[in-house]
Amino acid sequence: MSQHPIRKIAISTGGGDAPGLNAVIRAVTVSALKRGWECWGIRDGYNGLLEPESFPDGGLIHLTRQRVSGIMHQGGTMLGTTNRGNPMNFPVQQPDGSWVEKDRCGELVEKFDAAGFDALITVGGDGSLSIGYHLASLGLRVVGVPKTIDNDLDRTFMTFGFDTAVSFATECLDRLHTTATSHRRIMVVEVMGRYAGWIALHAGIAGNAHVILIPEIPYDIEKVAEAVRDRERAGYLYVIVVVAEGAKPVGGDVSVLGKAVGQAEKLGGIGEKIAAALQERTGRESRTVVLGHLLRGGSPTSFDRLVALRFGAAAVRALEEGMTSVMVSLAPPTVRYEPLKAAISRMKIVTLDCDTMETARDLGIRFGD
Ligand code: F6P
């Protein structure tokens, strides 16, 4: 693979969207143009290169200064994204209608070269960064930018998107307190986060939840019901329970809605199960609210905007300095670079002895253990 000076780079956004993606795209584009490089966006992960015929306007977007103006505060990604375009396990339909997974990475590298790209900036979570690591091992110059509302990526203090998701969930909890207390109900609020409890923990504390259930602490439903009764005994007739979508009972499994070929398993449904179990055990009327994809929408908070802009600019600096197979990482008060391999080798989950957990316990929040 050529290691000549960079003239033309590509950027791709993959996996679930997160507020701040457009800010990264803007920072990458403006920083690249400043260095005299051309910048192109690949649509829908890598589908714009692999399946250009499925895009009426072409699979690549020429990112000019004008093209990226006015996008920074917008949620989503102007490039589009997909959960069904992993080139390592690309879903391909067979003549009989069934689906199989195919490795299309070799083909992707050829198309990348044919398009004249010298380097790739890949913005995504563990899935996209794993693809980036693999493409780097095949010879592409790759810099990763960590993104996920779940905040479950290792080797970075935080990902952008998380603060926006937590802020919105907190606002929702504030609103639910008034209706829960008016009706003296149990409100169970299910939030995203996959197999990590960061969103539930942070929003639950900030939003004054009484019970928080996270994947890192398998819950005993009897203990959760006991927390409801303890509140009743203390004179409080409503309860707010925040449950992470990946929470599971002691000795039980996560609640899975399904899994399609080429995609990660879809979590969900735990909120309803908890609400039904609590209503049955306590006799108190229960309702469920699933915040779901609302947590991924909206304008990024100023924190997420700034992190996203810093990540995008730092990714371009990394390429300029000749780095490859690295991920930009937030290490307050600065950004630095971590090997992609290290970043994808494990998931960052809630550490049970952290001060945030201690704070929650000191405040009387229960975890079902
Ligand atoms: O990883 C981000 C995330 O929002 C998870 O919290 C959630 O489980 C998943 O994506 C849902 O993805 P989708 O509905 O887009 O398949």
Side-chain angles (χ1 to χ4, degrees):
M1 206 60 46
S2 61
Q3 287 298 315
H4 54 259
I6 291 175
R7 289 184 303 264
K8 186 174 176 183
I9 66 168
I11 176 169
S12 141
T13 54
D17 67 331
L21 282 168
N22 284 323
V24 177
I25 294 167
R26 177 182 159 82
V28 165
T29 304
V30 175
S31 306
L33 293 176
K34 189 175 166 226
R35 287 160 174 80
W37 306 349
E38 259 183 58
C39 190
W40 290 75
I42 306 172
R43 287 192 140 136
D44 291 14
Y46 298 103
N47 289 357
L49 269 178
L50 288 173
E51 319 243 289
E53 62 287 350
S54 55
F55 300 89
D57 310 335
L60 300 174
I61 301 178
H62 189 192
L63 296 171
T64 60
R65 186 71 181 69
Q66 257 173 337
R67 208 70 198 253
V68 299
S69 89
I71 63 166
M72 186 176 69
H73 62 288
Q74 289 169 358
T77 161
M78 67 169 289
L79 300 179
T81 186
T82 178
N83 289 336
R84 286 178 56 79
N86 184 339
M88 299 194 287
N89 316 97
F90 202 88
V92 176
Q93 194 159 27
Q94 302 295 96
D96 67 357
S98 64
W99 291 85
V100 293
E101 294 180 358
K102 193 179 158 199
D103 183 350
R104 297 185 68 185
C105 290
E107 187 188 339
L108 178 61
V109 171
E110 278 168 23
K111 294 192 169 185
F112 191 86
D113 275 348
F117 294 132
D118 301 308
L120 168 71
I121 292 178
T122 174
V123 193
D126 57 337
S128 305
L129 297 176
S130 300
I131 298 165
Y133 173 66
H134 186 57
L135 294 176
S137 75
L138 296 179
L140 294 194
R141 277 191 266 190
V142 181
V143 171
V145 172
K147 161 249 55 166
T148 164
I149 65 164
D150 304 337
N151 197 36
D152 60 352
L153 274 171
D154 201 30
R155 299 289 186 121
T156 183
F157 172 68
M158 216 176 253
T159 48
F160 67 85
F162 176 66
D163 185 62
T164 310
V166 169
S167 302
F168 181 71
T170 303
E171 186 190 328
C172 292
L173 289 171
D174 289 347
R175 289 167 185 248
L176 290 169
H177 272 274
T178 53
T179 177
T181 185
S182 303
H183 287 266
R184 301 190 186 93
R185 281 175 174 156
I186 298 172
M187 294 297 297
V188 179
V189 185
E190 181 182 311
V191 296
M192 282 186 168
R194 294 200 70 75
Y195 308 105
W198 295 108
I199 297 177
L201 179 66
H202 284 223
I205 297 174
N208 200 17
H210 310 109
V211 178
I212 301 174
L213 304 178
I214 57 176
E216 293 84 350
I217 307 177
Y219 65 85
D220 174 346
I221 194 68
E222 297 301 336
K223 297 267 172 60
V224 182
E226 198 47 42
V228 173
R229 291 188 203 102
D230 284 350
R231 265 186 70 77
E232 273 176 18
R233 281 191 281 272
Y236 300 103
L237 298 178
Y238 80 101
V239 182
I240 303 280
V241 178
V242 175
V243 56
E245 63 179 0
K248 53 179 186 256
V250 176
D253 279 329
V254 289
S255 183
V256 177
L257 295 177
K259 170 158 179 9
V261 174
Q263 290 187 45
E265 60 183 7
K266 201 186 269 184
L267 304 183
I270 188 71
E272 271 299 333
K273 290 180 189 167
I274 302 271
L278 289 180
Q279 181 159 318
E280 188 189 312
R281 280 168 178 76
T282 65
R284 189 152 291 280
E285 201 179 19
S286 304
R287 292 284 189 273
T288 313
V289 176
V290 180
L291 294 183
H293 296 81
L294 289 169
L295 298 176
R296 297 212 315 225
S299 187
T301 59
S302 53
F303 180 88
D304 278 341
R305 268 182 228 192
L306 185 59
V307 171
L309 292 170
R310 290 168 70 196
F311 278 180
V316 169
R317 290 199 300 274
L319 288 178
E320 186 177 42
E321 288 165 27
M323 294 184 209
T324 184
S325 203
V326 295
M327 178 189 85
V328 179
S329 140
L330 186 63
T334 191
V335 292
R336 65 177 181 215
Y337 304 101
E338 296 280 347
L340 267 177
K341 187 174 189 208
I344 58 172
S345 56
R346 65 168 203 171
M347 195 186 353
K348 184 175 73 185
I349 57 172
V350 174
T351 39
L352 300 184
D353 57 354
C354 66
D355 88 282
T356 311
M357 281 296 301
E358 281 177 357
T359 303
R361 298 227 191 241
D362 282 342
L363 290 168
I365 296 172
R366 309 274 279 265
F367 288 88
D369 57 347

